[in-house]
Amino acid sequence: MAHVEHAGDVRRRDRYGEVLVRCPGGLGVEVAAFHPFTEDPRFGLTGLPAGGLFQLLSGVGVQVADPIGRAANGESGPKRTTARSVTLSNEFLSSDRMGAMTDIRRPALLRLLAFAVAACIAILAVATAKADAATYCVNKNGPTCTIQYTSGQLQMALDQAASTGSVEDTVLVGPETENNSGTGFTYNTQTPGNEIHLIGSGSSQTTLTWTVTTGSTDGLLFSAPPGSTVNGLKILIPANDANQGDTGLWLGNGVDADNIAVTGPSADNVKGVDSRGGDVVDSTIDLPEGSSGNIGIDQSNNGNAIVNSSVHAVYAVRHSSTGEPTTVTGSRLSGLNGAIADNGAFVIKNSVITLSAGNGGVGVGIANYNAGNNDDMTASLDGVTIVGDGTSNNTSGIKAQADNGTETADLDVHNTVITGTSHPLNLITDGGRTVTASIEYSAFDNAAVNQMSGTGIINYSPGPGNIDLTGDPGFADAANHDFSLKADSPLIDTGDPVTAPGATDILGNRRDCNGTPGGTFRRDIGAYEYNDCTAPNTSIVGGPGATTQDPTPSFTLASDDGLATWLCSVDGSTPAACPSLYTAPDKGLGLHHLSVSARDQYGNVDQTPATYDYTVIVTKVPPPTCETDNTCPPPTCKTDKTLCPPKGDTTPPKVLKLKAPKKTKKKWVKVTFKSNEAKVIFTCKLNKKKAKRCKSPWKTPKLKKGKNVVRVWATDASGNKSGIKKRAIRRKK
């Protein structure tokens, strides 16, 4: 037989023919019978009438298979029944059903069929009791695959998944191009719990396209319950036959697209993605700027998010409903128009919008040109770079217009640079309507701002921190669409000084780091942050080892940044500046922990400090001091301020009544003296001998023969010193 076998297939064959009963994943029954001589590799029979072969009757479903494998209701692909028991009816042997089967014996076929179905039901009794989520694999093998489909059977797999009820299924598609010969692929069921995940092999390997573009067609209509996803594939939009507007990917509310690509080199009057509330993440939409106005992503119901994506079209992104806003984050929009809202709100952060050459282009626009519009339109921008081509006429960086019904237009712009457009701001109002523009910490040419108030009201006054940008914004390579900043850009460190914690730029670089050496922590204007946001790495390349006898060990610090300095902490103390040759403080005996972080010239600090554990096991004994051996002189006013008398005594004492013999034969004599102040300290000296403290009477050292001179002076408690009194003593020879 030419059939592809599956787990759960049950065959029964004899000389009169063959019956195949398929139990795909325990979720249903598919039946085929085969002529003994003219076997057909498809489900069904060769030579039988289109009316079908037989019926499977059960309490929950009926299947009638015709010769080309089409279900009785005309849908493509075999239908499944979740019956656990099947009752065969003899009606299938009626002449109108079996009249053409002259070469197959009916009783024999019935026996074959009964045997095969009975075996299948045994499988279903176990498998359907589980009713687990299934994985349908199209042109892809793998251990997770529940049911296999060949190339070209994607729609069959989607239909199968949609019929399972409240089961969350997955459809995996291998590297191939799935070309639907009709009007595109469809998954259209919102049954709660019936989420589906359609996963290709990558946007460069799995491609979906279709043939018939008459009318408004969808390459992939993905109307599924919230929580469903589609990712890892490319949708190729063919040339539009009817010019009635085709769509590459139609996303239902809460259905997200991740890592997809939508393109159509010959497409015109198309939408890359039509989002009814689904997010687009890490994706690329690239449509030509056709004459009918291609739209990259069109949001027309509920809010959605566009994250880390690149969108190019005549209208890169369009928002057309009230309620939740369209949020654009970390993305790049390009085309004649960037982000346009005719109702509701935009929130755009850390993104780049570039305008193609062409008159009348708008970077961000909130305007409704239909009469009688009564909705409010708002746009909030933070960290956005808007760049025009610099030559086209009547272009607007940001356009806000309110001149219909009761509509209003409100702008809230922060940290945004606008350059290369005719008007950085184009504010238009009439009919008593109001346009409000709050612009802070942004850079644009003030003189080029256009205000047309008519009979309306424009509330615009530049807020704090704006830069009058009349010259070069300092982009790294604007000609090649590199709008990061050069070192001399006037946008560096000039954004809002209050930066939200954890804020990042379009590349994910932190906003809370410096752009100029020694500068303050202040964000830049625009989508890109210029700085060395990467903190230096820290290492400790020298230390005392695991144990040391030194209570103040030394360490050698290093970093991969040659201009780095260090912050040191021992045992959890507050990090403080320290040199590359660092001596730790004495923390006593025991285990200690050193933590070191390098800090670069921009102030970025290593968030993963280098650490070093050491244990002080013996403290070195310091050399003896006068305190330890009791040899210190008594304290004085100079060494102990508590002994100092009150300030104001500046009168020196006097030495009085110094008496000593003028002549003597003795080797030693006594010298007496006194002072006019109490508590003075006397100092005595004989000849050139060392002066010593003394008291009256003072016994001199040994006198030399001949003339000797005694000198005495006094010092009071305030440190005032008296004059020196002298007496000569002659020792006779």
Side-chain angles (χ1 to χ4, degrees), residues 199-533:
I199 304 173
S201 298
S203 59
S204 63
Q205 299 191 55
T206 300
T207 300
L208 307 186
T209 189
W210 68 105
T211 302
V212 179
T213 58
T214 302
S216 297
T217 63
D218 303 306
L220 175 60
L221 174 64
F222 210 57
S223 179
S228 300
T229 60
V230 54
N231 63 61
L233 54 82
K234 177 172 73 174
I235 298 175
L236 175 61
I237 303 176
N240 191 318
D241 291 337
N243 197 32
Q244 293 184 12
D246 297 323
T247 297
L249 173 62
W250 194 100
L251 284 178
N253 185 26
V255 180
D256 298 336
D258 189 355
N259 188 27
I260 66 163
V262 180
T263 185
S266 301
D268 197 10
N269 191 28
V270 303
K271 300 175 183 178
V273 178
D274 188 344
S275 173
R276 305 304 173 97
D279 297 342
V280 179
V281 182
D282 294 328
S283 297
T284 300
I285 316 298
D286 188 6
L287 299 176
E289 297 182 35
S291 60
S292 298
N294 293 327
I295 301 173
I297 299 177
D298 192 26
Q299 184 280 337
S300 56
N301 192 19
N302 304 303
N304 74 315
I306 301 168
V307 182
N308 298 333
S309 295
S310 176
V311 186
H312 175 80
V314 175
Y315 299 92
V317 179
R318 185 176 72 175
H319 179 95
S320 301
S321 68
T322 59
E324 293 296 319
T326 288
T327 300
V328 180
T329 306
S331 296
R332 295 164 177 81
L333 311 182
S334 61
L336 186 61
N337 299 279
I340 304 298
D342 56 17
N343 272 311
F346 263 120
V347 176
I348 307 175
K349 298 180 179 180
N350 303 312
S351 296
V352 173
I353 300 175
T354 55
L355 301 184
S356 304
N359 297 333
V362 177
V364 176
I366 50 174
N368 191 312
Y369 302 103
N370 298 318
N373 180 50
N374 298 319
D375 295 322
D376 296 333
M377 299 167 290
T378 65
S380 175
L381 284 69
D382 189 3
V384 180
T385 296
I386 301 176
V387 182
D389 71 335
T391 60
S392 299
N393 296 322
N394 197 29
T395 56
S396 304
I398 302 175
K399 181 178 182 179
Q401 179 170 334
D403 53 7
N404 276 307
T406 61
E407 69 183 10
T408 61
D410 297 307
L411 296 176
D412 187 16
V413 181
H414 293 261
N415 307 298
T416 292
V417 55
I418 307 170
T419 184
T421 61
S422 306
H423 306 294
L425 302 175
N426 195 359
L427 311 178
I428 304 172
T429 184
D430 204 350
R433 310 315 314 138
T434 301
V435 169
T436 301
S438 174
I439 319 292
E440 297 182 355
Y441 298 101
S442 295
F444 54 91
D445 184 354
N446 287 325
V449 173
N450 182 51
Q451 301 184 62
M452 296 177 60
S453 59
T455 60
I457 301 171
I458 295 178
N459 295 322
Y460 167 67
S461 59
N466 291 327
I467 295 176
D468 188 7
L469 186 64
T470 58
D472 184 4
F475 296 138
D477 189 0
N480 292 305
H481 291 241
D482 180 359
F483 302 112
S484 59
L485 306 181
K486 295 188 296 186
D488 60 351
S489 171
L491 308 179
I492 295 174
D493 288 349
T494 52
D496 192 337
V498 179
T499 302
T504 58
D505 72 355
I506 190 172
L507 300 178
N509 295 323
R510 302 195 326 268
R511 291 286 193 182
D512 59 343
C513 38
N514 294 327
T516 54
T520 58
F521 282 86
R522 183 170 176 175
R523 63 166 295 159
D524 301 340
I525 292 176
Y528 293 90
E529 192 75 15
Y530 176 85
N531 44 38
D532 176 13
C533 276

Side-chain angles (χ1 to χ4, degrees), residues 10 58 66 84 94 198 217 228 254 256 360 396 442 477 490 517 589 649:
V10 179
S58 70
D66 71 17
R84 297 190 184 182
S94 61
L198 175 58
T217 63
S228 300
D256 298 336
S396 304
S442 295
D477 189 0
L589 298 175
D649 180 10

Side-chain angles (χ1 to χ4, degrees), residues 8-11 19-23 29-32 113 116-117 120:
D9 284 359
V10 179
R11 281 185 181 273
V19 171
L20 169 64
V21 180
R22 175 160 295 169
C23 310
V29 179
E30 298 166 359
V31 181
L113 182 60
V117 171
C120 183

